[in-house]
Amino acid sequence: MVDVKDFLRDYAKNEGLFKNKKALQSNYTPSNVPYRDEQIGQVASILAPSLRMERPSNLFLYGKTGTGKTLVIGHVLENILEVAKEEGLNLKTVYLNCKLKRVADTEYRLIAQIARELGQDIPATGLPTDEVYKLFVKCLEKEKILLLLVLDEIDEVVKNTGDKILYNLTRINSELKESEISIIGISNDLMFIDQVDPRVKSSLGEEEIVFPPYNAIQLQKILRERAELSFESKIIGEGVIEKCAAYAAKEHGDARRALELLRVAGELAERNNSEQILVKYIDNAEEKIERDRVVDIVSTQPKQFKITLFSIIQVSDEYAKKNESGDFYTGDIYEVYKNNCLSTGTKPLTQRRVGDIIAELDMSGIINARVISKGRYGRTRRISLAVPENIVKKIDLMLREGLGL
DNA sequence: CGAGATTCATGTGAAGTATACCTTTAGGCTTAA
DNA sequence: AAGCCTAAAGGTATACTTCACATGAATCTCGTA
């Protein structure tokens, strides 16, 4: 039997591999953003008028995940805020990720959340939406403010609820007498702006900046820079940086992923009492990241979604056991779903709703569900799990426990 | 044999309902002058 | 009379249901070669 106290004493005594883990965490803003000088310059010059208390143009940033959009905006805003503080300007920034479920995924919730960030108390439901707008406006008019509003992953809200929000937001300036507001939209979807109302498009996209993906060489440089902050140089094994960069370059140059790989690899090395981060830990890190991501998505899912997902796993498992062709459809899932509701004592939803839930699970990337026509045999969704076998087992257990099955 | 009609299972949109929560309003009670 | 509390009335957002119509290719039908 291992003495826990001994282990903990040991742990405390050892320094661990990390010198400073923060530099590899996703919310870290480095003082130096490599390969984005051009974009930083553009953003800065577009937003600079705010320091004369003039409203900057609305701004739109495009680029795949991990191309530094959020980072660049954060970096520039941080600097602007510092200068504004020196100058005593009443400049405020609000950053909001529109993808967050149950926080900012409808018009009401989005506006309410912005107002909350500004210190206005808004109930979760009950108010008319235009009342929330009024509160928001009132909150801005309390004193002369220039608000820079960053809406990250803005395409998500528009996909779900239409572009009315954007129209209202761009219009809000005309209602403001004292204060002004600039909107900075961030989107991963390059096609996004073509889908919105032309009026919104012209006012929102006054300025546009595209962020190209990083290539493998650039990723390596970025990794080295951060690694230097996080580790002593000899801790990183041969070829580790290169491999991280290569992995991430495959995924459309996602720097966030590259950094996460390195961090998790470091944590795994540490846990294994290794003196060095070796290439093999990166493979493990890859898997762990994916597992954590999926576990995180599944665990924050509402109950009905969990039951639905559990049913999908069950059906998929059945087919695998029988060794039949693995195709299954909405109807199959619904039958199993109803049984699962019965055994968990939950009131089953209608098939209409479960169909929507399946579509949403597809959106979250945990399953694949494509609408197909089976000709004579109708039209439905062909469903499959989008997660590797070992992770499926894990979420299966998780769900069983969570649902009491 | 092939063009067009048929068919199936469920996708999908619109409208309605239940629930939980909000503000307003009116009445009743208390309090202080 | 003014102030405060409470409960009812009237309103909303959201998640879900109900209803009704839309879909799209495999299959069927039937006229033609």
Side-chain angles (χ1 to χ4, degrees):
Chain A
M1 184 102 179
V2 181
D3 188 343
V4 178
K5 225 185 254 173
D6 273 354
F7 164 76
L8 292 174
R9 277 201 197 98
D10 233 36
Y11 187 90
K13 213 187 303 162
N14 274 331
E15 293 213 323
L17 295 176
F18 288 94
K19 189 163 67 179
N20 170 15
K21 200 188 266 186
K22 278 201 195 107
L24 285 178
Q25 273 155 1
S26 57
N27 52 2
Y28 176 78
T29 320
S31 52
N32 170 21
V33 187
Y35 305 111
R36 287 292 177 254
D37 293 338
E38 196 189 326
Q39 283 81 2
I40 289 178
Q42 286 174 350
V43 172
S45 65
I46 290 164
L47 297 183
S50 59
L51 291 170
R52 296 186 191 139
M53 290 306 273
E54 291 163 16
R55 193 186 80 85
S57 299
N58 290 331
L59 172 61
F60 224 94
L61 306 183
Y62 294 101
K64 295 269 173 65
T65 42
T67 49
K69 303 178 295 296
T70 312
L71 193 58
V72 165
I73 271 293
H75 183 75
V76 173
L77 287 184
E78 199 174 290
N79 284 302
I80 286 182
L81 278 178
E82 264 170 44
V83 177
K85 203 172 170 193
E86 285 166 21
E87 306 278 327
L89 298 174
N90 205 354
L91 190 65
K92 283 193 181 166
T93 66
V94 168
Y95 172 88
L96 205 57
N97 189 327
C98 307
K99 203 178 174 179
L100 294 174
K101 275 221 164 180
R102 274 146 246 283
V103 175
D105 56 350
T106 69
E107 180 172 19
Y108 181 97
R109 300 213 257 236
L110 180 63
I111 305 301
Q113 191 59 32
I114 299 169
R116 273 186 214 121
E117 299 273 334
L118 293 171
Q120 176 73 242
D121 204 21
I122 305 229
T125 169
L127 294 189
T129 305
D130 44 336
E131 192 61 31
V132 179
Y133 271 103
K134 275 184 205 146
L135 282 171
F136 176 43
V137 168
K138 207 173 91 192
C139 180
L140 286 172
E141 290 287 61
K142 262 190 294 199
E143 50 184 337
K144 187 176 165 63
I145 313 179
L146 181 55
L147 177 66
L148 301 177
L149 179 60
V150 183
L151 299 176
D152 206 344
E153 313 212 36
I154 198 170
D155 45 322
E156 292 290 330
V157 209
V158 175
K159 256 179 228 154
N160 288 332
T161 60
D163 52 13
K164 200 174 134 208
I165 308 170
L166 297 184
Y167 180 70
N168 287 336
L169 271 177
T170 53
R171 230 174 40 101
I172 222 166
N173 262 318
S174 57
E175 275 178 46
L176 294 169
K177 294 194 183 67
E178 285 294 313
S179 305
E180 289 186 294
I181 161 173
S182 275
I183 301 164
I184 300 157
I186 302 182
S187 163
N188 300 324
D189 181 359
L190 293 155
M191 299 285 97
F192 162 71
I193 200 76
D194 296 327
Q195 295 160 23
V196 304
D197 188 303
R199 282 172 298 175
V200 176
K201 183 176 171 178
S202 65
S203 75
L204 201 60
E206 287 171 335
E207 303 277 355
E208 293 184 11
I209 302 178
V210 176
F211 284 63
Y214 298 106
N215 63 35
I217 310 280
Q218 292 170 333
L219 286 170
Q220 283 185 27
K221 172 92 189 300
I222 293 168
L223 282 165
R224 286 225 168 74
E225 217 163 87
R226 298 272 195 110
E228 218 156 276
L229 294 171
S230 301
F231 306 107
E232 299 295 347
S233 56
K234 43 185 183 302
I235 284 176
I236 297 182
E238 186 85 15
V240 165
I241 297 277
E242 288 75 5
K243 182 146 191 191
C244 281
Y247 256 129
K250 249 192 312 192
E251 304 250 333
H252 55 254
D254 185 342
R256 186 188 310 163
R257 193 167 177 79
L259 292 164
E260 200 180 6
L261 269 174
L262 186 58
R263 173 174 59 82
V264 175
E267 285 167 3
L268 289 174
E270 197 169 68
R271 204 169 300 168
N272 287 336
N273 288 319
S274 169
E275 301 280 301
Q276 264 201 326
I277 301 175
L278 303 171
V279 171
K280 66 172 178 184
Y281 292 123
I282 296 177
D283 293 318
N284 299 341
E286 169 94 349
E287 196 195 307
K288 183 177 187 314
I289 289 171
E290 175 67 4
R291 189 175 349 123
D292 288 353
R293 187 184 72 87
V294 172
V295 164
D296 186 56
I297 293 174
V298 172
S299 62
T300 57
Q301 222 61 238
K303 191 172 181 190
Q304 293 288 2
F305 285 58
K306 284 183 179 169
I307 299 177
T308 309
L309 180 59
F310 181 68
S311 308
I312 294 171
I313 293 176
Q314 264 189 330
V315 173
S316 154
D317 199 44
E318 249 167 60
Y319 273 96
K321 265 192 194 125
K322 278 193 282 179
N323 219 357
E324 282 174 21
S325 74
D327 280 357
F328 47 94
Y329 310 95
T330 306
D332 308 332
I333 301 301
Y334 189 66
E335 289 309 309
V336 176
Y337 162 84
K338 272 195 296 192
N339 281 332
N340 283 330
C341 280
L342 213 65
S343 44
T344 52
T346 318
K347 198 176 154 225
L349 302 177
T350 51
Q351 182 159 352
R352 175 74 184 80
R353 179 63 184 146
V354 173
D356 282 349
I357 290 178
I358 290 174
E360 285 189 53
L361 286 172
D362 176 48
M363 288 287 288
S364 74
I366 236 155
I367 64 172
N368 294 316
R370 250 191 66 222
V371 179
I372 55 153
S373 175
K374 290 190 293 167
R376 186 65 208 278
Y377 305 105
R379 216 168 104 86
T380 179
R381 285 193 170 90
R382 178 194 286 142
I383 301 162
S384 61
L385 289 159
V387 177
E389 183 65 22
N390 54 339
I391 297 180
V392 170
K393 277 198 190 116
K394 169 126 188 169
I395 54 182
D396 184 44
L397 287 176
M398 231 174 82
L399 288 172
R400 274 174 203 280
E401 196 172 325
L403 299 169
L405 282 162

